Amino acid sequence: MAGPRVVIIGAGVVGAALADEISARGWTEVTVVDQGPLPATGGSSSHAPGLVFQTNSSKTMTELARYTVEKLCSLDVDGQPCFLQVGGLEVATTPERLAEIHRRHGWITAWGIEARILSPEECVEQHPLVDQDKILGGLLVPTDGLAKAVLAVEAQIRRATERGVRFLARHEVLDVRQSDGRVTGVLTDQGEIPADIVVCCAGIWGPKIARMVGMNLPLTPLAHQLAWTGPVPALAGQTQEAVRPILRHQDADLYYRDRFDGLGIGYYGHRPMPLSADDILSVDEADAMPSVLKFTEEDFEDAWTETQSLLPATREAKVEEGINGLFSFTTDGLPLLGESPDVKGFWVAEAVWVTHSAGVGRAVAEWLVDGYCSSFDLHECDVNRFEPHQLSPEYVLARDCQNFVEVYDILHPLQPSGHPRPIRTSPFYARQQELGAFFLEATGWERPQWYEDNAGLVEGRSIPTPNDWAAQYWSPIVGAEAQATRETVAMYDMTALKRLEVGGPGAAAFLERMSTGKVDKSVGSVTYTLLLDEDGGIRSDITVARLARDLFQVGANGNLDLDWFTRHLPADGSVAVRDITAGTCCIGLWGPLARQVLQPLTESDFSGDGLKYFRAKRAHIGSVPVTAMRLSYVGELGWELYTTADMGLKLWDTLWQAARPLGGVAAGRGAFNSLRLEKGYRSFGTDMTYEHDPYEAGVGFAVKLDKDDFIGKAALQRRKADVRRRLTCLTIDDPAAVVMGKEPVYDGDRPVGYVTSAAYGYTIGKGIAYAWLPADLATTGRTVHIGYFDQRITAVVADEPLFDPSMSRLRG
């Protein structure tokens, strides 16, 4: 036996996959417990219809699904395959859905999986039951198919058992034991099992298990309807379980799969039917299994009517059986993976469907054994990504139900979330409303995208109108605000950005160890630097301002940065980290006239010498105490001005009264994004993530390899000389061809990369798209093409930054 003592709670597709993957990496002192029988334990895996569609807007989710397909294709149980690779077909019955199918084709192509768009005739060739007159086209992914979930569980149990893993059926977990903030074991109804690590793979019971260690999982079990027809005469004589592609009719929230001479029908179009994990019946109490609820025929009526329309052959059949099966839903539709922030050794791998199960098993096994995941970028899936309000019961229930309703909806990248809203508002909110702000949401904050009060700025300007898709959640005012920022001065609400305070006698040494830059500098210094994982991947980019000898303010990207810092705090208590976001606010005052606005309001020296670029100091603006940092994410002269929340409104009014006579405006996130791309500034989570290193991402300047050791340094020294891809600036001449991100990039007919961020550059008069490309293609002047819906848009590799390469405006 080798490795720490691990107890996995749950032997469904995730628990079985994890046991297999972790034992294959040499950890064999592993016990898997489940309250039900094996291999059909009674959870979601036991009734899952098994459809695996790999297409997803998330690159990570597609890659998790791809690995699941590859692994399950290699497994069998006594000659019975665990995966039936019949392909996946999505059909469109409306022009809007046909356009969406082209967009989805772009995603799957960008993520490196073969797919093709089909005509109506070709769709019927693939699935003869479809009425050709009802459809406009389709998307075929040949490697999709049907996962045989229970067989997959059994196959992986057998493999893990051969390596020494124990599987204990009929063991109900009563408690997770802990001592001094660390797990020590799992108490079951048949005794206690000692453990150094406990991984919760309990699925719909996950919230109940997590509460045993005080952890709040934003997960809700919701019922989803699945029905089975009797024999369909057109399928008479079919002896194979599945021969046609799995089929999605997303316009009606429906999917279909073969079952010999009948069909399975899944439906998301009914009302949300949430259930508390505490109210799920036990294995012995349930009629069929705990995850299966009584079929509500009235909720399925529209589904059956639509099925008979799309698949006319079903008119000669009947729905003979059905269930309301429980599945896990989360507030953002993504899994919950990682370690508890409060109890060491307690991990979760939750809200994972069959589609991604084997991939998640591999990802968590790597994370546990190696300390990081090398195969997948998991920043979207980390359980510690949520803000406190996102864990409230009201929020979780509302957003989980919304995600159920929207499973098959066409969602725009900027589409705002629904109820509950507003949740978080900056001190400037009332003034922004008066100015007609159009708000979008950012981690709960209401953040202006543009201001209707600036409509008059559009007159006399050349603001091109983008294509219909890009024109959603857009206004020509965005362009006017961007140009006005370059011409005069603008105020930007930067409150939504995470702010951390790092203090104590060990703070400087701690930040030196955590980051790639030299931050142990003079008081008033500001440093742009990176947080890396052990493999050299970028975990975040941050700014570190030294406000006193033992006090630093960190501009971070989200709660994962706070979690990362907290996990690495020295045990001697010499460093403390505190989230100060809620109690503070920030205005970005930027533009060539910014100094003319600010200097008359203060006795402090804000000249070029009085506060140099990338320096900070305390000052009073009028009667408001501020921390001023000479930074600019839009490439113009100016400052980030921070104050406490109670003084925020006063700061806004003071600056506004001074800016207006000079032609100053309030500007929104739309203008901000355009301006930052003109300057080539990266956005973590979009342009670069855990899978990228600094040299690939074009931020190698933030790495100081001559400093003492820091996390990821050894890996970077190996990776620096082998840069095979680059984050590349592309420009687009066609003003209407504004792309949105995640589109494939082609070299001829060969997909070679994908777009990250994009916007129209209102200063340079071109479209801008940043994209990951092979290093040999990232050469200035090279022409590539971006796949945008059913179009190919010409783009050219450009030197960056596109605006003010001499940095004279920033340093003025």
Side-chain angles (χ1 to χ4, degrees):
M1 306 291 279
R5 298 169 299 176
V6 179
V7 174
I8 298 172
I9 301 173
V13 284
V14 181
L18 176 57
D20 179 39
E21 295 282 345
I22 202 171
S23 60
R25 285 164 175 76
W27 283 17
T28 54
E29 197 165 344
V30 178
T31 302
V32 184
V33 298
D34 200 292
Q35 62 184 340
L38 298 175
T41 63
S44 300
S45 303
S46 301
H47 75 259
L51 288 82
V52 175
F53 290 96
Q54 298 166 84
T55 308
N56 198 291
S57 63
S58 163
K59 182 172 183 283
T60 296
M61 295 299 279
T62 293
E63 290 176 340
L64 292 169
R66 174 168 45 197
Y67 179 79
T68 300
V69 167
E70 292 170 353
K71 181 176 183 180
L72 297 191
C73 280
S74 72
L75 299 179
D76 70 272
V77 175
D78 302 329
Q80 299 180 75
C82 293
F83 195 82
L84 307 177
Q85 200 158 42
V86 293
L89 175 64
E90 302 179 19
V91 295
T93 60
T94 64
E96 294 79 12
R97 183 65 62 176
L98 184 61
E100 173 72 356
I101 277 180
H102 280 282
R103 186 167 72 118
R104 295 173 66 79
H105 178 256
W107 295 339
I108 199 76
T109 302
W111 311 149
I113 295 178
E114 178 194 353
R116 65 181 189 269
I117 297 291
L118 303 185
S119 67
E121 294 82 5
E122 291 171 320
C123 290
V124 174
E125 288 175 10
Q126 292 288 329
H127 203 298
L129 297 190
V130 173
D131 184 347
Q132 183 175 314
D133 293 336
K134 298 287 185 182
I135 61 174
L136 303 177
L139 171 65
L140 178 69
V141 181
T143 52
D144 286 348
L146 283 169
K148 306 289 290 179
V150 175
L151 282 179
V153 168
E154 185 173 357
Q156 292 175 103
I157 285 176
R158 289 185 182 185
R159 285 161 46 125
T161 300
E162 289 174 357
R163 303 186 192 105
V165 174
R166 290 193 306 161
F167 286 82
L168 303 178
R170 294 286 185 173
H171 280 61
E172 182 182 357
V173 173
L174 304 178
D175 195 14
V176 177
R177 301 297 201 195
Q178 53 183 302
S179 177
D180 297 325
R182 173 174 286 281
V183 296
T184 59
V186 173
L187 178 65
T188 76
D189 58 355
Q190 299 191 44
E192 186 166 340
I193 306 168
D196 304 305
I197 294 172
V198 174
V199 188
C200 178
C201 303
I204 53 178
W205 290 278
K208 184 177 180 179
I209 299 297
R211 280 201 306 273
M212 295 176 181
V213 297
M215 190 175 183
N216 187 2
L217 284 187
L219 181 159
T220 303
L222 281 108
H224 157 59
Q225 290 199 303
L226 175 65
W228 300 96
T229 72
V232 178
L235 305 182
Q238 181 174 317
T239 57
Q240 292 178 267
E241 180 179 352
V243 297
R244 278 163 292 278
I246 55 177
L247 177 67
R248 277 206 277 204
H249 175 25
Q250 292 172 292
D251 282 320
D253 298 304
L254 285 162
Y255 64 77
Y256 304 94
R257 56 151 294 177
D258 285 8
R259 187 172 72 167
F260 300 102
D261 63 352
L263 291 175
I265 306 170
Y267 186 44
Y268 288 105
H270 55 80
R271 60 193 167 91
M273 294 184 271
L275 186 70
S276 169
D278 297 315
D279 294 332
I280 301 172
L281 296 177
S282 69
V283 172
D284 294 327
E285 291 173 325
D287 291 335
M289 61 182 76
S291 62
V292 170
L293 307 181
K294 183 180 178 181
F295 187 59
T296 50
E297 294 182 10
E298 64 277 12
D299 289 304
F300 197 71
E301 290 177 357
D302 290 344
W304 183 233
T305 299
E306 183 60 31
T307 295
Q308 293 173 305
S309 175
L310 182 71
L311 310 175
T314 59
R315 297 169 190 167
E316 300 179 65
K318 294 182 179 180
V319 174
E320 292 196 347
E321 55 182 309
I323 63 171
N324 287 6
L326 293 174
F327 288 98
S328 301
F329 283 79
T330 61
T331 56
D332 57 9
L334 294 165
L336 308 173
L337 311 178
E339 188 180 20
S340 161
D342 302 312
V343 180
K344 292 187 181 301
F346 183 83
W347 289 68
V348 299
E350 288 290 347
V352 181
W353 293 3
V354 175
T355 300
H356 309 101
S357 57
V360 166
R362 177 176 179 172
V364 175
E366 288 180 357
W367 201 348
L368 286 167
V369 174
D370 301 331
Y372 58 90
C373 177
S374 59
S375 296
F376 308 97
D377 163 31
L378 296 181
H379 86 275
E380 293 178 315
C381 306
D382 194 313
V383 70
N384 297 296
R385 64 189 181 269
F386 300 102
E387 295 291 320
H389 75 273
Q390 294 173 319
L391 300 175
S392 69
E394 178 193 34
Y395 182 94
V396 170
L397 180 61
R399 293 293 170 90
D400 288 358
C401 288
Q402 180 181 343
N403 277 320
F404 175 89
V405 171
E406 294 178 346
V407 162
Y408 283 172
D409 285 2
I410 298 171
L411 300 176
H412 192 274
L414 296 178
Q415 186 165 322
S417 301
H419 177 78
R421 243 186 109 194
I423 299 174
R424 308 171 84 181
T425 57
S426 78
F428 326 129
Y429 184 62
R431 296 293 184 263
Q432 292 165 344
Q433 287 180 304
E434 292 169 3
L435 294 174
F438 179 85
F439 292 99
L440 296 180
E441 186 183 13
T443 58
W445 292 98
E446 294 295 318
R447 184 167 65 187
Q449 193 73 359
W450 70 82
Y451 294 87
E452 288 294 335
D453 196 60
N454 290 329
L457 290 175
V458 177
E459 186 176 350
R461 297 178 183 273
S462 177
I463 309 292
T465 300
N467 56 79
D468 290 347
W469 183 250
Q472 294 185 48
Y473 308 103
W474 176 87
S475 165
I477 297 171
V478 168
E481 290 177 355
Q483 292 179 355
T485 304
R486 297 259 189 252
E487 296 163 356
T488 56
V489 63
M491 293 166 53
Y492 288 83
D493 182 357
M494 304 298 291
T495 303
L497 299 183
K498 175 76 78 175
R499 292 173 291 285
L500 307 177
E501 187 179 86
V502 180
F510 170 73
L511 289 169
E512 283 284 322
R513 165 68 178 156
M514 296 298 295
S515 70
T516 62
K518 293 182 178 180
V519 299
D520 189 4
K521 298 185 291 191
S522 62
V523 173
S525 64
V526 181
T527 306
Y528 174 82
T529 184
L530 307 172
L531 305 180
L532 304 182
D533 220 326
E534 292 289 352
D535 66 345
I538 301 170
R539 289 194 63 97
S540 189
D541 63 336
I542 60 175
T543 55
V544 180
R546 191 169 202 169
L547 303 182
R549 182 179 181 276
D550 295 332
L551 181 66
F552 296 80
Q553 182 172 310
V554 175
N557 280 298
N559 213 56
L560 290 181
D561 294 345
L562 173 61
D563 180 70
W564 185 247
F565 278 144
T566 302
R567 290 181 187 279
H568 288 85
L569 286 173
D572 62 6
S574 62
V575 183
V577 177
R578 187 167 67 97
D579 184 352
I580 61 171
T581 310
T584 57
C585 59
C586 179
I587 295 174
L589 181 71
W590 295 314
L593 303 185
R595 186 171 285 121
Q596 291 176 237
V597 172
L598 194 64
Q599 189 60 75
L601 301 175
T602 178
E603 295 181 357
S604 298
D605 185 0
F606 277 87
S607 67
D609 293 328
L611 186 60
K612 294 181 178 180
Y613 188 53
F614 263 78
R615 298 288 297 178
K617 69 178 177 182
R618 312 271 196 178
H620 283 85
I621 306 301
S623 58
V624 181
V626 302
T627 298
M629 298 185 194
R630 180 85 184 275
L631 309 176
S632 173
Y633 208 49
V634 301
E636 294 290 339
L637 168 68
W639 303 268
E640 293 178 357
L641 302 171
Y642 298 88
T643 191
T644 52
D646 61 317
M647 298 297 294
L649 187 60
K650 183 63 175 176
L651 177 62
W652 178 281
D653 288 344
T654 301
L655 293 173
W656 183 250
Q657 290 168 14
R660 287 302 286 165
L662 297 174
V665 300
R669 189 70 178 185
F672 178 92
N673 196 49
S674 170
L675 296 170
R676 70 103 178 165
L677 286 176
E678 288 184 331
K679 282 298 293 179
Y681 293 147
R682 278 61 169 149
S683 174
F684 176 80
T686 303
D687 298 317
M688 54 191 186
T689 66
Y690 293 5
E691 67 176 303
H692 306 116
D693 72 45
Y695 305 110
E696 298 171 328
V699 288
F701 64 87
V703 178
K704 308 302 179 186
L705 287 175
D706 59 343
K707 63 177 271 189
D708 290 339
D709 195 27
F710 57 84
I711 295 174
K713 180 178 180 180
L716 273 196
Q717 290 172 320
R718 295 190 299 269
R719 295 176 70 158
K720 184 177 181 181
D722 189 27
V723 176
R724 301 182 182 182
R725 57 184 174 178
R726 292 191 185 278
L727 183 61
T728 307
C729 178
L730 305 176
T731 58
I732 302 166
D733 286 336
D734 183 351
V738 176
V739 301
M740 300 292 292
K742 302 187 178 181
E743 297 87 0
V745 180
Y746 295 87
D747 178 35
D749 291 328
R750 179 174 61 110
V752 291
Y754 59 92
V755 173
T756 59
S757 296
Y760 190 78
Y762 297 100
T763 312
I764 66 167
K766 291 179 181 287
I768 307 168
Y770 272 77
W772 282 101
L773 296 180
D776 62 339
L777 296 182
T779 56
T780 302
R782 187 176 189 112
T783 297
V784 294
H785 291 86
I786 299 172
Y788 188 64
F789 292 91
D790 59 349
Q791 306 170 41
R792 293 288 178 90
I793 294 172
T794 301
V796 178
V797 176
D799 289 329
E800 56 173 331
L802 298 168
F803 177 78
D804 188 28
S806 69
M807 305 284 280
S808 61
R809 295 174 73 100
L810 275 170
R811 299 178 184 278

